[in-house]
Amino acid sequence: MSEADEGRSGRPNARRAQGELESEVLAALRSAARPVTAAEVQERLGRGLAYTTVITILTRLRAKGAVTRRRAGRAFEWTAVADQAGLAALRLRRLLDAEADREAVLARFVTALPPDDEQLLRGLLARDLDEPEG
């Protein structure tokens, strides 16, 4: 293995799946009993991540609406407002918002679903339509 194939730790570079680190940060926030600082998130992850990496991920999650922050002295305390399903839903919404023809995208999405997922979606839509607003 060449030096280019190894990280600073000497271990082979393992590319994370898209969103994996965001998911781990969200899980760390959700498992906390109270709002936590970026340093506390870094400690909870226990993976040797740089503080700046944790801040970057928290900032991205905030931009997506998945976390909030509030000033606590010189630092910020962070709180998760979305779970894994909520984060996935935010990603899907951003993808849909980026398309000009929403109807075509939604139609293709639904027709590409396996029958069980299509039935689940129809059931969820019917349930939402049956619930009174307010």
Side-chain angles (χ1 to χ4, degrees):
M1 181 179 302
S2 73
E3 287 181 37
D5 293 331
E6 296 183 1
R8 286 185 213 160
S9 66
R11 294 188 319 240
N13 282 336
R15 189 142 175 95
R16 290 184 192 94
Q18 184 176 7
E20 181 181 336
L21 192 52
E22 287 182 351
S23 296
E24 290 177 25
V25 168
L26 262 184
L29 289 173
R30 293 189 61 77
S31 69
R34 59 174 178 69
V36 293
T37 65
E40 290 171 306
V41 171
Q42 181 187 25
E43 183 179 315
R44 285 173 173 269
L45 293 174
R47 294 179 40 187
L49 289 174
Y51 179 80
T52 54
T53 301
V54 174
I55 288 290
T56 298
I57 297 302
L58 287 167
T59 302
R60 287 180 183 166
L61 288 169
R62 182 172 177 251
K64 293 176 182 181
V67 302
T68 60
R69 70 179 187 188
R70 69 171 189 216
R71 177 73 66 186
R74 293 180 56 190
F76 287 104
E77 291 180 331
W78 301 82
T79 305
V81 294
D83 57 7
Q84 273 308 114
L87 184 57
L90 287 168
R91 286 185 192 128
L92 289 171
R93 177 65 188 264
R94 275 196 9 230
L95 289 170
L96 183 60
D97 287 346
E99 296 298 323
D101 191 349
R102 295 172 75 89
E103 183 176 345
V105 173
L106 288 169
R108 295 247 170 88
F109 176 75
V110 170
T111 59
L113 288 173
D116 289 347
D117 287 345
E118 184 178 343
Q119 279 306 113
L120 177 60
L121 181 58
R122 289 182 188 284
L124 290 169
L125 290 170
R127 185 178 72 194
D128 284 349
L129 292 174
D130 291 342
E131 292 179 7
E133 289 186 32

